[in-house]
Amino acid sequence: MSRPPRTRPTLEEVAAKAGVGRGTASRVINGGEKVSERARLAVEEAIAELGYVPNAAARALVTRRTDTIALVIAESEERVFGEPFFAGIVRGIGSALAAADRQLVLLLAQASERRGALDDYLTRQHVDGVLLLSLHDDDQLPERIRAHGVPVVVGGRREGVSSDFVDVDNLQGARLAVQHLAGLGRRHIATIAGPADMVAGHSRFEGYVAALTAADLPIDDRLVARGDFTQQSGAEAMRALLASGAEVDGVFCANDLMAVGALQVLRDAGRQVPDDVAIVGFDDAPIGLSTVPPLTTVHQSPEQMGREMVAMLLEATGAPGVPQPGLMLPTHLVVRGSA
Amino acid sequence: MSRPPRTRPTLEEVAAKAGVGRGTASRVINGGEKVSERARLAVEEAIAELGYVPNAAARALVTRRTDTIALVIAESEERVFGEPFFAGIVRGIGSALAAADRQLVLLLAQASERRGALDDYLTRQHVDGVLLLSLHDDDQLPERIRAHGVPVVVGGRREGVSSDFVDVDNLQGARLAVQHLAGLGRRHIATIAGPADMVAGHSRFEGYVAALTAADLPIDDRLVARGDFTQQSGAEAMRALLASGAEVDGVFCANDLMAVGALQVLRDAGRQVPDDVAIVGFDDAPIGLSTVPPLTTVHQSPEQMGREMVAMLLEATGAPGVPQPGLMLPTHLVVRGSA
DNA sequence: GTGGGAAGTGGGAACGCTCCCAAAACACCA
DNA sequence: TGGTGTTTTGGGAGCGTTCCCACTTCCCAC
């Protein structure tokens, strides 16, 4: 528990070596306004010679900022590293943050046990703000963190919360998809829905219901199957749909991966897509381009979502305590071969 | 640039409210040896009432530790979130670190531009140590970081480095696979190799060559195809192999995903697996269980690799500057239906 | 020369914590 | 009751920065 000996040069030593005061050395390091050329050179040389690197803790202590932002993904590793959705959103966040000169750190919120540690980390001024990505909506994490004055922006809407979030308009997207199927003359439109405890799951399902109602089509329980967003679960759901005995001439899948699974099952069952059964997915994932036929799908842009989250968070850091109005990102339909 | 006003309670205020000294309050917070019950209770109450959270920067400044470890993954988001390998290793790392009461932060080292920022972050005492996962081996990052006294352990061996790394013994694993095929009496063993600029790519290929040589089988260029570890590339490679005109009765695929692609192509081409062509993959990925036939593969454990990396890093933090001997993790063959 | 504004500089104070040590409080025994 | 240990306690010092302010130096116009 005893403190390891210091080994790294300090600003004071740099200043001494350069023959200037501490203040001047500090000025050179931080943007260096109002420093004579001579002094700047001397300091820079001293820094190089000593291999000086500023101590972030000392700096953070006085500035009260760290210039780093945490992205918390509250999912199992398996899901995080499985969903291509995350790749996009992380890329969007990463590039937006880089442009704003902030460092991004990713935290995976593995299950309950580590929760205390996570709270601590986020709350102890390690980071200036938190982006939270959780597909489930049962979590008080954002509130707990905000209570300590740390701004939080959530990706994905949560029940009963109308600020500080960015989400894709899942409901509208699902409606688009189902409208399209109905517009094609399909009258027996099934859905392979996602888990009900995820926003993307239930709001896409709501969109399905809303669009059917709007098109005066009945809602048939036998036409509703559920998956967990994996390809395999999509295949199983499709098999269940076929086995239900109900007539099916269109399927709206809550994501592309499940649509791919469904496509395979239909092919194996000898049903023609789109002639016998039309299929629409959701996500506009790359894989939808390489299926046969290529997948008609609802386009969303995780990258844009990431960028918007960052913009909102930076806004919030500027005006602490002021809730930022939530943002719903529109989607559009990409019509390809499957419907 | 001006410093935002303080709003959060400090230890001093907690102590005042509890009617004790700063020292006592600190003792309560950190393990609390040698504190009277009365004082402990008073402090705990004050903490709860004030919503006090210790300031990590101030603490790090004096202790010179942060109890956080960075995991740097030097890959594109796409690859990171695609490879299931990462899920396993991150899980291993995460749980080992949790057990050691360290916080894990993930940094994605997007391309060149952000490199300076990454170096800075790692070097400025934000973290006590760095785990580096890069499948490419052209990077000086570990050296740069070590130069500032921060311990680094690399996952995946790098050319010419014999310490501070953990890797799976890819060469031995590949040899196992090819030996198995040869032992089955296959004489025309092809390989679908991975990218040559990744350790896993070229050392598995080396293993293939070594095993063929050991079995007195010739090395035929027409029997070597390359993929990029994706399923699609595996399929393409298999098509190329078939199109080459060379006889093929066994294929060693450098990972399971490519093996799955190959399997599909063989099925579509009417070749029986394993009778006409035997296939062995590498990774023991879950997907290999659900193929038809189930995939024979080389087992490796990313989780174990993650745990070993953590163990080595913690060792290194204890003995700074002392190089830790590198560690090669053994693999073994899992024989299932495909070979 | 001289006055005065601008540019550049040094270093004290503060950030919020842990470490440590000397002092206070308590316990026990003769 | 006093003496001797043993807990427990308070608070000074210091961690490495940035911020700020008072001071010096420089330059130019008069």
Side-chain angles (χ1 to χ4, degrees):
Chain A
M1 203 45 181
S2 91
R3 136 185 23 177
R6 184 174 60 74
T7 162
R8 306 160 45 114
T10 71
L11 185 58
E12 193 85 46
E13 297 174 51
V14 169
K17 174 150 216 157
V20 303
R22 206 182 342 101
T24 303
S26 173
R27 255 164 257 138
V28 170
I29 289 164
N30 307 322
E33 291 305 288
K34 309 207 170 223
V35 179
S36 69
E37 204 52 23
R38 219 172 61 76
R40 178 202 312 309
L41 257 42
V43 172
E44 279 168 355
E45 189 176 342
I47 289 178
E49 241 168 271
L50 262 33
Y52 169 79
V53 177
N55 178 316
R59 178 179 290 183
L61 185 55
V62 22
T63 59
R64 302 172 193 290
R65 338 180 15 196
T66 60
D67 290 326
T68 108
I69 299 288
L71 168 58
V72 177
I73 306 189
E75 292 289 332
S76 74
E77 285 86 1
E78 269 53 41
R79 181 155 353 244
V80 172
F81 290 95
E83 301 258 6
F85 172 76
F86 285 119
I89 202 162
V90 171
R91 175 140 38 71
I93 290 173
S95 68
L97 244 21
D101 258 313
R102 302 294 207 287
Q103 176 67 41
L104 169 63
V105 312
L106 224 76
L107 306 181
L108 300 189
Q110 37 259 72
S112 42
E113 29 160 345
R114 290 294 289 161
R115 269 309 165 77
L118 179 71
D119 278 36
D120 283 354
Y121 186 86
L122 295 176
T123 250
R124 293 182 175 188
Q125 335 265 253
H126 273 120
V127 299
D128 296 340
V130 176
L131 297 169
L132 180 63
L133 233 45
S134 170
L135 305 182
H136 306 272
D137 48 18
D138 48 352
D139 202 320
Q140 294 292 77
L141 187 61
E143 284 70 24
R144 271 177 287 150
I145 298 172
R146 275 198 205 101
H148 291 278
V150 179
V152 181
V153 168
V154 177
R157 189 153 146 62
R158 293 169 59 247
E159 223 52 74
V161 176
S162 64
S163 66
D164 299 296
F165 75 87
V166 175
D167 200 1
V168 167
D169 197 338
N170 288 299
L171 199 140
Q172 174 244 5
R175 201 187 269 150
L176 243 39
V178 176
Q179 267 170 15
H180 177 72
L181 288 169
L184 255 30
R186 309 299 164 133
R187 289 294 166 264
H188 307 279
I189 303 174
T191 188
I192 298 181
D197 68 332
M198 296 193 190
V199 247
H202 75 245
S203 43
R204 287 173 196 178
F205 179 67
E206 281 172 36
Y208 162 81
V209 172
L212 282 192
T213 311
D216 268 334
L217 293 173
I219 312 232
D220 182 343
D221 271 358
R222 293 173 309 162
L223 293 183
V224 175
R226 287 205 181 270
D228 63 3
F229 285 142
T230 62
Q231 178 169 345
Q232 179 147 3
S233 75
E236 277 162 25
M238 191 66 235
R239 270 191 285 269
L241 248 24
L242 293 179
S244 77
E247 189 178 341
V248 176
D249 59 7
V251 183
F252 163 58
C253 301
N255 78 342
D256 284 352
L257 226 48
M258 294 199 294
V260 172
L263 224 44
Q264 258 162 10
V265 169
L266 285 172
R267 181 176 72 165
D268 290 353
R271 308 283 190 108
Q272 294 297 318
V273 175
D275 298 340
D276 300 342
V277 182
I279 290 213
V280 181
F282 201 120
D283 280 353
D284 197 5
I287 194 174
L289 284 166
S290 51
T291 54
V292 185
L295 198 61
T296 293
T297 185
V298 178
H299 175 85
Q300 66 169 339
S301 167
E303 275 198 63
Q304 190 198 349
M305 180 165 164
R307 283 195 303 269
E308 298 290 355
M309 287 176 70
V310 169
M312 189 176 288
L313 186 66
L314 293 181
E315 192 67 35
T317 10
V322 182
Q324 304 291 319
L327 182 59
M328 278 292 209
L329 268 20
T331 60
H332 62 262
L333 197 68
V334 178
V335 179
R336 292 200 276 253
S338 71
Chain B
M1 205 43 183
S2 91
R3 134 184 26 174
R6 184 172 61 74
T7 164
R8 307 161 43 116
T10 71
L11 187 58
E12 193 87 46
E13 298 174 52
V14 169
K17 173 148 215 155
V20 304
R22 207 185 338 106
T24 303
S26 173
R27 254 164 259 140
V28 170
I29 289 165
N30 307 323
E33 290 307 288
K34 313 212 167 218
V35 180
S36 70
E37 202 54 22
R38 218 171 62 75
R40 179 203 310 311
L41 257 43
V43 171
E44 278 168 356
E45 189 176 343
I47 289 179
E49 243 168 272
L50 261 33
Y52 170 77
V53 178
N55 179 315
R59 178 179 290 182
L61 185 54
V62 22
T63 58
R64 302 172 197 289
R65 342 180 11 193
T66 60
D67 289 327
T68 107
I69 298 288
L71 168 59
V72 177
I73 305 188
E75 292 289 330
S76 73
E77 286 86 0
E78 269 52 42
R79 170 126 37 219
V80 171
F81 290 95
E83 300 259 5
F85 172 77
F86 285 118
I89 203 163
V90 170
R91 176 142 36 71
I93 289 173
S95 69
L97 243 23
D101 258 313
R102 302 295 206 286
Q103 176 67 41
L104 168 65
V105 311
L106 224 76
L107 306 182
L108 300 189
Q110 36 260 72
S112 41
E113 28 160 345
R114 289 295 287 161
R115 271 308 165 77
L118 180 70
D119 277 36
D120 284 354
Y121 186 87
L122 295 176
T123 250
R124 292 181 176 189
Q125 336 265 251
H126 274 119
V127 300
D128 296 340
V130 177
L131 297 170
L132 180 62
L133 233 44
S134 171
L135 304 183
H136 305 273
D137 48 18
D138 48 353
D139 203 322
Q140 294 293 73
L141 187 61
E143 284 70 25
R144 272 177 287 150
I145 298 173
R146 274 196 205 104
H148 290 279
V150 179
V152 181
V153 167
V154 177
R157 189 152 145 66
R158 293 167 60 245
E159 224 51 75
V161 177
S162 64
S163 66
D164 299 297
F165 75 88
V166 175
D167 200 1
V168 166
D169 197 337
N170 288 299
L171 199 140
Q172 174 244 6
R175 199 186 273 149
L176 242 40
V178 176
Q179 267 171 14
H180 177 71
L181 288 169
L184 256 29
R186 309 301 164 133
R187 288 293 165 267
H188 307 280
I189 303 175
T191 188
I192 299 181
D197 68 331
M198 297 193 188
V199 247
H202 74 244
S203 43
R204 287 172 197 180
F205 179 67
E206 280 172 38
Y208 163 81
V209 172
L212 282 191
T213 310
D216 267 333
L217 293 173
I219 299 187
D220 182 343
D221 271 358
R222 294 174 308 162
L223 293 183
V224 174
R226 286 205 180 269
D228 62 4
F229 284 143
T230 63
Q231 178 170 345
Q232 178 147 3
S233 75
E236 277 160 27
M238 191 66 235
R239 271 190 286 269
L241 248 22
L242 292 179
S244 77
E247 189 179 341
V248 176
D249 59 7
V251 184
F252 164 58
C253 302
N255 77 342
D256 285 352
L257 226 47
M258 295 199 294
V260 172
L263 223 44
Q264 259 161 9
V265 168
L266 286 172
R267 182 176 68 164
D268 291 355
R271 307 284 190 109
Q272 294 297 320
V273 176
D275 298 340
D276 301 341
V277 183
I279 292 212
V280 181
F282 201 118
D283 279 354
D284 197 5
I287 192 173
L289 284 165
S290 51
T291 54
V292 185
L295 198 61
T296 292
T297 185
V298 178
H299 175 85
Q300 65 168 341
S301 166
E303 277 199 61
Q304 190 197 349
M305 181 166 163
R307 284 195 302 268
E308 298 289 357
M309 287 177 69
V310 169
M312 189 177 287
L313 186 65
L314 293 181
E315 193 67 33
T317 6
V322 183
Q324 303 290 320
L327 183 61
M328 278 293 209
L329 267 20
T331 60
H332 62 262
L333 197 68
V334 178
V335 178
R336 292 200 276 253
S338 71

